[in-house]
Amino acid sequence: MDEKTITFNDIPEAMNYLITKMNDLEEMIRTSAFQQPDQNDWFNLEELCDYLPDRPAKQTVYSWVNQKKIPYHKKGKKLQFLKCEIDEWLHTDELQQEIIANPVLQTNKKRRRS
C-alpha cells in the first residue's frame, strides 16, 4: 500500500493492509530470537574457555567470575554462561580496550588549558 492520504472509501483496504502487517509481525515475533534461549545457547566452563578468543585457563575464568567481570549464571554449584551475554561482553570489552589504547577516544580526561 502506497503512502497517501486515506479517504473514507479507503478505510476497508487500509484496515486489511494493517491487519495483514500485524499478522506478519506476530509471526515474526513467534519465530524469532525473542524466544527463550535453547540449551545450545549455554556454555559450561570448558565450552566457554574453548569459545573465547584467548582460550583462557579455567582458573582465569573463575577469577573473572569472582571479580564479577564476566556475565555468568549459577545453577546449583555449576557455572553457566549465556552465549548472547558473552558475545555482548566481548564486544564491550573490545571497545574498552580500544578506548584505553587510543587517548583521543578518552572523553573523561580534563584537557589542560595553555
Side-chain angles (χ1 to χ4, degrees):
M1 186 169 182
D2 296 327
E3 290 184 29
K4 63 178 182 176
T5 305
I6 298 174
T7 64
F8 183 75
N9 292 332
D10 296 330
I11 290 177
E13 182 183 349
M15 287 301 296
N16 187 38
Y17 175 79
L18 289 173
I19 290 169
T20 301
K21 288 294 181 185
M22 185 65 73
N23 288 338
D24 292 346
L25 284 172
E26 287 175 345
E27 182 63 26
M28 286 173 57
I29 289 170
R30 231 180 279 119
T31 60
S32 72
F34 292 113
Q35 298 172 349
Q36 290 294 325
D38 288 342
Q39 190 68 16
N40 296 335
D41 292 332
W42 291 92
F43 295 133
N44 62 29
L45 184 61
E46 290 177 8
E47 293 168 335
L48 176 71
C49 291
D50 289 339
Y51 180 74
L52 292 174
D54 294 341
R55 305 265 192 261
K58 289 180 187 179
Q59 192 58 40
T60 302
V61 176
Y62 281 126
S63 174
W64 292 341
V65 168
N66 189 38
Q67 297 170 21
K68 296 182 176 24
K69 288 186 174 183
I70 189 168
Y72 68 94
H73 301 267
K74 258 189 131 171
K75 299 215 176 166
K77 292 185 177 184
K78 294 188 178 190
L79 289 173
Q80 291 191 322
F81 306 88
L82 190 58
K83 182 181 182 301
C84 64
E85 292 176 351
I86 295 301
D87 290 341
E88 183 178 332
W89 174 75
L90 285 170
H91 179 70
T92 302
D93 192 51
E94 286 173 6
L95 288 176
Q96 288 174 352
Q97 294 303 321
E98 189 174 323
I99 289 170
I100 290 169
N102 189 346
V104 175
L105 298 176
Q106 295 177 4
T107 57
N108 292 337
K109 288 190 174 181
K110 293 182 180 179
R111 294 183 184 170
R112 289 187 175 172
R113 294 187 181 185
S114 305

